[in-house]
């Protein structure tokens, strides 16, 4: 728990890598709302990682939703060590953004609702 937000991004990427995902951590600035870009079997996912002591709100959901289009990804995900506000859960549900605790990354592929990978 005593890691920086940047280290948290790398931690989340390592979890996915251990599950067979190919991952890339974006630069700290200019990432267009994605901290990690992950790919497996033609499925591309953009992930925003939030290491918080409080609840994660709407902004993270909105930013990763925009990143999904920017990176031409299939799915957008916000991952945290904490929890999400009610408002963030409502917006995420409406926009199709997946909200997860980092422990859930171990089963990300099962949590995705993707019918057919799109070509990039």
């Amino acid at each position: 728990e005593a890691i920086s937000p940047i280290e948290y991004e790398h931690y989340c990427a390592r979890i996915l890598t251990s599950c067979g995902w190919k991952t890339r951590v974006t630069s700290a600035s200019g990432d267009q709302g994605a901290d990690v870009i992950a790919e497996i079997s033609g499925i591309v996912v953009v992930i925003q990682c939030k290491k918080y002591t409080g609840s994660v709100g709407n902004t993270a959901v909105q930013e990763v939703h925009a990143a999904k289009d920017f990176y031409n990804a299939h799915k957008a995900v916000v991952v945290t060590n904490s929890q999400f506000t009610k408002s963030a859960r409502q917006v995420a549900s409406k926009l199709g953004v997946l909200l997860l605790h980092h422990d859930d990354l171990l089963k990300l592929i099962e949590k995705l609702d993707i019918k057919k990978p799109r070509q990039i």
Side-chain angles (χ1 to χ4, degrees):
E1 290 296 324
I3 62 174
S4 73
I6 299 291
E7 291 169 325
Y8 185 68
E9 293 170 10
H10 287 272
Y11 171 72
C12 291
R14 283 194 306 275
I15 292 172
L16 288 170
T17 300
S18 75
C19 296
W21 289 80
K22 179 181 173 187
T23 62
R24 175 172 65 91
V25 177
T26 63
S27 62
S29 62
D31 60 18
Q32 304 302 325
D35 297 319
V36 176
I37 302 169
E39 185 271 327
I40 193 168
S41 302
I43 298 167
V44 178
V45 178
V46 291
I47 303 167
Q48 188 163 111
C49 305
K50 292 296 183 186
K51 183 177 180 289
Y52 272 28
T53 53
S55 297
V56 179
N58 287 359
T59 302
V61 176
Q62 294 164 345
E63 289 175 354
V64 79
H65 183 320
K68 177 182 168 223
D69 290 337
F70 184 83
Y71 289 101
N72 198 27
H74 298 94
K75 199 72 173 173
V77 179
V78 181
V79 176
T80 188
N81 62 315
S82 186
Q83 56 193 332
F84 297 93
T85 64
K86 179 180 178 183
S87 181
R89 289 191 306 273
Q90 290 172 333
V91 170
S93 176
K94 184 76 173 172
L95 297 177
V97 173
L98 190 59
L99 304 179
L100 301 175
H101 184 273
H102 59 250
D103 290 340
D104 296 325
L105 287 174
L106 293 168
K107 296 185 178 183
L108 178 59
I109 196 70
E110 297 168 20
K111 296 186 176 297
L112 296 174
D113 182 26
I114 295 178
K115 308 296 185 239
K116 180 183 175 190
R118 104 174 61 131
Q119 296 298 316
I120 299 176

